[in-house]
């Protein structure tokens, strides 16, 4: 037996329960992993609330890092004692230990801690595909990153600067503004007192930005489009304030023949080759100290409800981990 967070109905953080669950031996193609740290992400709140429907009762969580304890039949690439991390597969990372198919795991280098591994897989791989595949940011371009002091945002800012971009970031308060500047933002907009669309136009001399990376959703979507330069790219990859409302596609033409896309990580790590190559790029930069993953909050795994409350109240910055 082991312990895990599960929920039997959708709703607020109060639906999360700490339960004892069975842990059988790993089956064919599976690995049993003992978690040392579990990642907390906004998508977890979408699953919990029912925004992203799933069958109940259910586990929760998509990423974690730990040590292999046993392997099932047919698993040759991993062995007991290996340090591993993951951010795909069935929900269930909010657990002390679990079984998961070996194909979802990557080796975690010794230079990277379990906390970093758990904190950066989903957010770091998201930043990689957003900057390198969804819209390939080039040196000299200007981009806008919403929630620049948040988990994905903090990595996006650093990585975009490594690519030679000028980065405008939005945040909700002065403390987060200071964090965004420290990460490398060239300009920071505190949206609680500034109209970010107008400010972006001012900062770019009226031209607009090449791309907007928006994890906020409903509250920023239309104004984000108005920040784009001609044929710019609006990348909507999250729903922190709720899903985007339907809109007239003619708006895209009127805004300068701009593009809108709604990507998802799992379409960018859908093959083993993609997962390994993106993970390798992320690990290399983190291990070299060129990309810093700040684990700013830690909660006991059994206190996941409190972590969700703080995340949704915008009380967190950088990455958050749950400790089994």
């Amino acid at each position: 037996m082991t312990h895990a967070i599960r929920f039997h109905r959708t709703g607020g953080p109060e639906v999360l329960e700490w339960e004892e669950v069975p842990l059988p031996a790993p089956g064919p193609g599976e690995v049993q992993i003992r978690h040392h740290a579990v990642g907390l992400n906004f998508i977890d709140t979408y699953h919990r609330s029912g925004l992203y429907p799933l069958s109940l009762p259910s586990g929760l969580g998509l990423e974690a890092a730990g040590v292999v304890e046993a392997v099932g039949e047919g698993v040759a690439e991993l062995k007991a004692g290996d340090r591993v991390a993951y951010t795909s597969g069935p929900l269930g990372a909010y657990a002390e230990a679990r079984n998961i198919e070996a194909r979802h795991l990557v080796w975690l280098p010794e230079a990277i801690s379990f906390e970093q591994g758990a904190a950066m897989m989903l957010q770091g791989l998201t930043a990689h595909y957003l900057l390198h595949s969804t819209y390939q940011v080039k040196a000299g371009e200007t981009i806008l990153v919403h929630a620049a002091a948040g988990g994905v945002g903090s990595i996006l800012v650093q990585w975009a600067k490594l690519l030679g971009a000028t980065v405008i970031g939005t945040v909700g308060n002065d403390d987060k503004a200071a964090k965004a500047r420290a990460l490398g933002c060239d300009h920071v907009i505190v949206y609680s007192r500034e109209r970010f669309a107008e400010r972006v136009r001012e900062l770019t001399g009226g031209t607009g930005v090449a791309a907007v990376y928006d994890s906020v959703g409903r509250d920023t979507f239309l104004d984000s489009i108005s920040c784009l330069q001609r044929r710019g790219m609006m990348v909507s990859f999250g729903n922190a304030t709720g899903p985007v409302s339907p809109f007239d596609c003619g708006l895209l033409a009127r805004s300068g023949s701009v593009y809108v896309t709604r990507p998802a990580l799992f379409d960018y790590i859908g093959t083993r080759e993609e997962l390994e190559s993106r993970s390798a790029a992320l690990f290399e930069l983190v291990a070299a100290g060129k990309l810093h993953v700040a684990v700013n909050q830690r909660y006991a795994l059994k206190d996941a409800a409190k972590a969700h409350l703080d995340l949704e109240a915008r009380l967190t910055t950088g990455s958050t981990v749950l400790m089994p």
Side-chain angles (χ1 to χ4, degrees):
M1 302 291 285
T2 189
H3 288 89
I5 293 288
R6 293 180 62 77
F7 60 111
H8 298 257
R9 58 188 174 90
T10 57
E14 71 279 358
V15 304
L16 301 180
E17 299 180 18
W18 181 243
E19 299 182 358
E20 190 173 52
V21 296
L23 183 64
E30 289 185 336
V31 165
Q32 188 168 107
I33 174 175
R34 175 69 54 179
H35 291 151
H36 286 228
V38 175
L40 174 73
N41 295 284
F42 238 104
I43 194 174
D44 303 343
T45 71
Y46 306 157
H47 290 134
R48 186 211 71 222
S49 69
L51 178 63
Y52 291 177
L54 43 80
S55 298
L56 298 175
S58 176
L60 192 62
L62 284 165
E63 72 175 342
V67 174
V68 173
E69 290 198 322
V71 300
E73 181 183 353
V75 177
E77 65 273 21
L78 293 167
K79 65 183 185 305
D82 282 349
R83 304 172 82 251
V84 292
Y86 65 90
T87 185
S88 61
L91 298 185
Y94 284 24
E96 294 173 322
R98 72 178 298 193
N99 295 331
I100 188 170
E101 289 182 274
R103 64 188 177 90
H104 298 301
L105 302 174
V106 294
W107 284 283
L108 186 66
E110 291 287 346
I112 298 174
S113 71
F114 289 116
E115 289 189 14
Q116 286 180 307
M120 74 179 180
M121 285 294 291
L122 189 147
Q123 296 170 355
L125 296 184
T126 295
H128 185 274
Y129 87 75
L130 290 176
L131 294 170
H132 293 84
S133 299
T134 302
Y135 178 82
Q136 296 183 23
V137 172
K138 305 173 188 65
E141 291 184 325
T142 300
I143 65 170
L144 174 64
V145 176
H146 285 301
V152 176
S154 62
I155 300 175
L156 275 173
V157 169
Q158 295 178 76
W159 214 326
K161 292 304 298 178
L162 291 174
L163 295 173
T166 295
V167 180
I168 303 172
T170 70
V171 296
N173 57 51
D174 289 331
D175 287 343
K176 291 184 177 181
K179 289 181 171 64
R181 291 189 186 95
L183 290 165
C185 276
D186 298 278
H187 308 282
V188 180
I189 301 169
V190 181
Y191 62 76
S192 57
R193 62 168 180 264
E194 300 178 88
R195 295 178 65 86
F196 74 83
E198 294 178 3
R199 185 70 179 124
V200 166
R201 287 291 172 181
E202 291 175 2
L203 291 170
T204 60
T207 300
V209 297
V212 177
Y213 292 102
D214 188 346
S215 62
V216 178
R218 181 179 56 212
D219 288 0
T220 54
F221 184 79
L222 293 178
D223 282 339
S224 291
I225 289 177
S226 71
C227 293
L228 292 168
Q229 66 187 35
R230 186 176 292 112
R231 300 203 305 271
M233 175 74 78
M234 169 62 183
V235 184
S236 177
F237 68 98
N239 315 285
T241 60
V244 173
S245 300
F247 67 97
D248 175 11
C249 285
L251 172 66
L252 306 183
R254 295 191 296 272
S255 300
S257 299
V258 300
Y259 300 86
V260 172
T261 184
R262 180 56 173 91
L265 169 63
F266 308 109
D267 291 318
Y268 287 84
I269 56 171
T271 67
R272 184 68 192 175
E273 180 182 6
E274 287 179 309
L275 174 61
E276 290 182 343
S277 64
R278 295 191 194 280
S279 298
L282 175 64
F283 292 162
E284 180 181 359
L285 290 179
V286 173
K290 296 180 179 179
L291 194 63
H292 300 280
V293 178
V295 180
N296 291 339
Q297 297 82 211
R298 296 168 179 81
Y299 299 81
L301 177 58
K302 62 183 178 63
D303 295 330
K306 169 61 174 171
H308 277 224
L309 280 170
D310 290 350
L311 179 67
E312 292 180 301
R314 309 295 191 275
L315 298 178
T316 65
T317 60
S319 297
T320 302
V321 295
L322 308 174
M323 306 302 293

